[in-house]
Amino acid sequence: DSDGNQTIGIESPTSLIIDESPPVIANYTVNSVTSTGGTIVDSYWNSSNTGLDVILAVQALDTSVTNGSVRVLAGIGIDANSAAYEQLGEPVSILPSNNITGGIVSLPVTKAQIEAQTEYGEDRTINFKAEVVDIAGNKVEIDISPSKLFIDTTLPVISKVESINLIDGSIKNGIFGIDSTINLKFTFSE
């Protein structure tokens, strides 16, 4: 030290690695977002769905990410770039067996977690991206996924029922007798 004091010792068996570099953005992408449970319709979140499966694809190996984690970020709004993103679901560990070129990490999300999003609502769009965290705690948000979900949880209702003539499609409402063949046309709200 500045007063001339000196200590001589032995080298520590423990080494310290200083890592201040974030993971490489291009190495990871949100490959797909699929609703699960109920009636699954591509690019839609409906009232029967019970969750989501978000797939993170590993494009190239970044060894610092092994045993790190990833979390899904969701932003609700038409413009994915201006949406306010917040965590969706729980972070998932990136295991050595997943952190390989061509590997995938599956991130499950529950219905309750989706519906708890701040701006969740009918006729809105959910955009997705992810945050990758390496073993040292360095973080990077990866690019916004092209996968989106449109929220449509309103059930259709029958708004009109009419009997029709099959030959010309004309309306044929009226009184029918026993053993009459009745052709019905149903009109739904959507």
Side-chain angles (χ1 to χ4, degrees), residues 38-39 45-50 111 115 120 152-156:
T39 304
W45 173 260
N46 63 50
S47 62
S48 70
N49 296 139
T50 58
K111 182 175 189 168
E115 292 176 347
Y120 177 87
D152 180 4
T153 58
T154 302
L155 297 173

Side-chain angles (χ1 to χ4, degrees), residues 94-175:
I94 300 177
L95 302 174
S97 58
N98 300 110
N99 193 31
I100 57 173
T101 301
I104 62 167
V105 179
S106 179
L107 297 107
V109 180
T110 67
K111 182 175 189 168
Q113 291 168 328
I114 295 161
E115 292 176 347
Q117 293 294 293
T118 304
E119 295 186 32
Y120 177 87
E122 188 72 10
D123 297 329
R124 294 187 165 207
T125 301
I126 309 173
N127 303 286
F128 299 92
K129 62 182 177 177
E131 179 183 74
V132 177
V133 183
D134 69 16
I135 193 66
N138 300 306
K139 302 174 185 180
V140 67
E141 286 186 8
I142 62 173
D143 295 335
I144 297 168
S145 172
S147 297
K148 302 171 185 269
L149 291 179
F150 183 75
I151 303 168
D152 180 4
T153 58
T154 302
L155 297 173
V157 295
I158 297 173
S159 59
K160 189 183 338 178
V161 178
E162 300 171 303
S163 63
I164 60 166
N165 182 330
L166 277 181
I167 296 171
D168 63 7
S170 63
I171 305 301
K172 187 180 172 187
N173 292 329
I175 299 173

Side-chain angles (χ1 to χ4, degrees), residues 11-23:
E11 184 178 323
S12 171
T14 305
S15 62
L16 178 64
I17 298 172
I18 299 173
D19 176 4
E20 296 178 342
S21 300

